[in-house]
Amino acid sequence: MKYLITTLLVALCNLCYASNEVRTTDKITAATIFLSGAQVFSTVQAQTDAGINDIVVTGIPSNVNEQSIQVTGYGNFTVLSVSTRKNFLGNEQVRPETKGLKDSIEVVSTRLEEDQNRKFALEQEESLLLTNKSIGGANNGVIIADLEEAADFMRNRLADIRNKAMVVNKRIRQNQEKLSRLQNQLNQANLLVGLTQTEIVVTITAGARGLIGMELNYVVNDAGWEPFYDIKSKGNNSPIDLYYKAKVYQNTGVKWENIKLTLSSGDPNSNGIKPEIEPWRLNFAEPIQIQSRYLQKSAAPQMESIQSMDNLSVAAGTTANLTTVARSEFAENFEINLPYSVETGGRPAYVDLQVYTIKAVYKQATVPKIEESAYIVAHIYDWEKLSLIPAQANVFFEGSFVGETYLNTLSGTDTLAISLGRDKGLIVKREKIKDLRAEKMIGGSKKITYTYKITVRNTKTNAVDIEVEDQLPISEQASIEVKALDLQSAQYDATTGKLKWKLNIPSGSAKTIQFSYEVKHPKDKIVPGL
């Protein structure tokens, strides 16, 4: 008797603490997208019983950062714990588009099988007719009327069978092609979400039966945005229009539909712990050859051709008109006040963030040793106030696309120089003057003098200020001596070897620069590059 009472008490306690599992899905309402990763915000509603309930939120991306999950509840309940688990069989339930693809595959497969059965029946009927086409015996003749009737029957029936077979074969090919497309689409959808889904399990205790609400937010890794720019100038002495844009992508396996987007320059994956200094010990070591690694720049987005319409006088607005910039100590956030949809694993979404009109100073510059052309360069001051991120930029000058550049906003200089293409009104030529080349032998050394001439001709209708750059070689050996001779008032940096002249060239005129230097080295040695 005592054992029976104890058993009943244990059963009642287990019943009291048994949890009611409620399966539901979350509705994504907003996302803050970082340069790498995103924080997703969603809402959940569930009908719960009094007591302990396990709210199982399905359809959570498999690449969710489980440590980042936060839950806030509203209603007559208390959150006891939050955990996650993997669901290896729930893809069809949490992805309606995947289930729809499978339903379509089943329908097309059934039609294909039916047509293949019709084709088999027609083939068997044709084979039966051809096998039994004899209408007379070995010892009996054939009446002409019977022969004509049999021939008409065979001709008409065989033609009917072949015509029906042709229709059935056409449908089979069409259904096979459709089935192949559907299967490829399903494979792509399954590839995006992987084999598993994550489920968030929120264990609560509710005071009464009723509807509760919760807000979730969590960080996913396979999402982000890339900045790029359009730089437009209407011509010399005009301000620069800088269009700050973003390419947004996400491969979470869940579509973000009509949600509030915020793009942030922050990084949730960066280490926020203050580093500690370790003892710095010096010792001898053999030199190690280190190979340079270069970061490959991503291709700039392709520009779409836009046809102008003379009958429209008002320029269309962009999301840049609906974006609010919020700057904090750690990041710059672009809050887009327009619902946005971002497909998972599909084409990225392009967002216009801001349009800046910036005062620019235009200068002409040339480096004829590398390219005998003059370039228009816009110099932008106080650009640090714009909080730009290093990225590719498409450059337009006087309405024409002139090429791509890279805005290196980490250079630390107070001036941002943007090349706007070649200035075809300036003709540049650089040549070595062989007549002035002198070569002397002094003891065990060879001394050679080099002389170059640079000519810049202005064919424009106005005077031009231009900056001309060249260089002298730099010796890395004590036995190689480089001496500057006549530099014609050039600014000379002995550390880099760079020469710089600033010229003013009137319209229709030309100016010439001539400079020379001397190189001395052992006569039995060859110095490449001279």
Side-chain angles (χ1 to χ4, degrees), residues 9 50 96 164 241 456 470:
L9 288 174
K164 289 181 178 178
D241 290 329
V456 183
D470 214 295

Side-chain angles (χ1 to χ4, degrees), residues 99-115:
K99 187 176 184 304
L101 286 170
K102 288 195 171 186
D103 291 342
S104 298
I105 288 175
E106 186 175 351
V107 171
V108 175
S109 297
T110 300
R111 293 174 182 170
L112 182 60
E113 188 174 353
E114 290 174 351
D115 281 333

Side-chain angles (χ1 to χ4, degrees), residues 119 122 159-173:
K119 178 182 178 181
L122 291 170
D160 183 54
I161 291 173
R162 293 290 177 88
N163 289 334
K164 289 181 178 178
M166 182 176 64
V167 174
V168 171
N169 284 331
K170 182 179 180 180
R171 283 205 306 264
I172 288 175
R173 288 194 302 272

Side-chain angles (χ1 to χ4, degrees), residues 77 125 145 226 230 255 291 345 383 449 504 506:
F77 69 95
E125 183 178 357
E226 299 175 10
D230 283 348
K255 181 180 179 180
Q291 294 182 348
W383 59 270
T449 301
N504 178 272

Side-chain angles (χ1 to χ4, degrees), residues 190-211:
N190 288 334
L191 180 64
L192 293 174
V193 299
L195 299 177
T196 64
Q197 286 282 330
T198 298
E199 295 179 344
I200 297 177
V201 182
V202 184
T203 302
I204 69 166
T205 175
R209 177 182 174 83
L211 184 68

Side-chain angles (χ1 to χ4, degrees), residues 23-26 56-60 87 93-94 197-200:
R23 298 182 66 84
T24 185
T25 58
D26 66 335
V56 181
V57 185
T58 64
I60 302 299
N87 184 350
Q93 298 176 3
V94 300
Q197 286 282 330
T198 298
E199 295 179 344
I200 297 177

Side-chain angles (χ1 to χ4, degrees), residues 24-193:
T24 185
T25 58
D26 66 335
K27 177 178 175 56
I28 298 176
T29 58
T32 297
I33 306 174
F34 307 99
L35 293 173
S36 178
Q39 187 170 12
V40 178
F41 299 85
S42 63
T43 59
V44 173
Q45 287 188 339
Q47 186 73 35
T48 62
D49 294 334
I52 297 179
N53 297 262
D54 283 339
I55 312 299
V56 181
V57 185
T58 64
I60 302 299
S62 59
N63 59 4
V64 65
N65 185 332
E66 297 179 2
Q67 287 74 31
S68 68
I69 298 173
Q70 300 181 66
V71 178
T72 305
Y74 299 94
N76 184 20
F77 69 95
T78 301
V79 176
L80 300 179
S81 66
V82 179
S83 60
T84 61
R85 67 188 188 190
K86 298 297 183 182
N87 184 350
F88 293 87
L89 301 174
N91 284 353
E92 294 84 354
Q93 298 176 3
V94 300
R95 286 183 59 82
E97 62 270 30
T98 302
K99 187 176 184 304
L101 286 170
K102 288 195 171 186
D103 291 342
S104 298
I105 288 175
E106 186 175 351
V107 171
V108 175
S109 297
T110 300
R111 293 174 182 170
L112 182 60
E113 188 174 353
E114 290 174 351
D115 281 333
Q116 288 173 337
N117 291 337
R118 292 189 184 97
K119 178 182 178 181
F120 176 76
L122 291 170
E123 289 174 346
Q124 292 301 310
E125 183 178 357
E126 181 179 0
S127 176
L128 179 64
L129 288 174
L130 295 176
T131 303
N132 298 279
K133 60 185 177 181
S134 177
I135 60 173
N139 300 317
N140 299 323
V142 179
I143 302 174
I144 297 299
D146 294 339
L147 181 61
E148 290 178 349
E149 183 179 354
D152 289 340
F153 172 78
M154 290 286 290
R155 180 173 58 253
N156 293 332
R157 188 57 190 155
L158 284 175
D160 183 54
I161 291 173
R162 293 290 177 88
N163 289 334
K164 289 181 178 178
M166 182 176 64
V167 174
V168 171
N169 284 331
K170 182 179 180 180
R171 283 205 306 264
I172 288 175
R173 288 194 302 272
Q174 291 174 341
N175 285 326
Q176 285 175 336
E177 292 174 357
K178 188 173 183 179
L179 186 63
S180 177
R181 291 195 299 269
L182 289 170
Q183 190 62 54
N184 289 337
Q185 189 72 19
L186 179 62
N187 292 340
Q188 180 67 20
N190 288 334
L191 180 64
L192 293 174
V193 299

Side-chain angles (χ1 to χ4, degrees), residues 443-495:
S445 299
K446 179 190 290 187
K447 184 187 292 185
I448 308 174
T449 301
Y450 298 90
T451 303
Y452 288 89
K453 182 174 70 173
I454 300 172
T455 304
V456 183
R457 182 175 299 278
N458 180 14
T459 64
K460 306 173 77 167
T461 57
N462 56 288
V464 171
D465 291 319
I466 187 169
E467 192 172 85
V468 181
E469 294 182 13
D470 214 295
Q471 66 181 155
L472 299 187
I474 301 171
S475 173
E476 294 185 345
Q477 299 288 338
S479 58
I480 302 176
E481 298 178 11
V482 178
K483 182 180 179 181
L485 299 178
D486 182 12
L487 302 183
Q488 289 198 352
S489 303
Q491 297 177 16
Y492 176 49
D493 187 339
T495 304

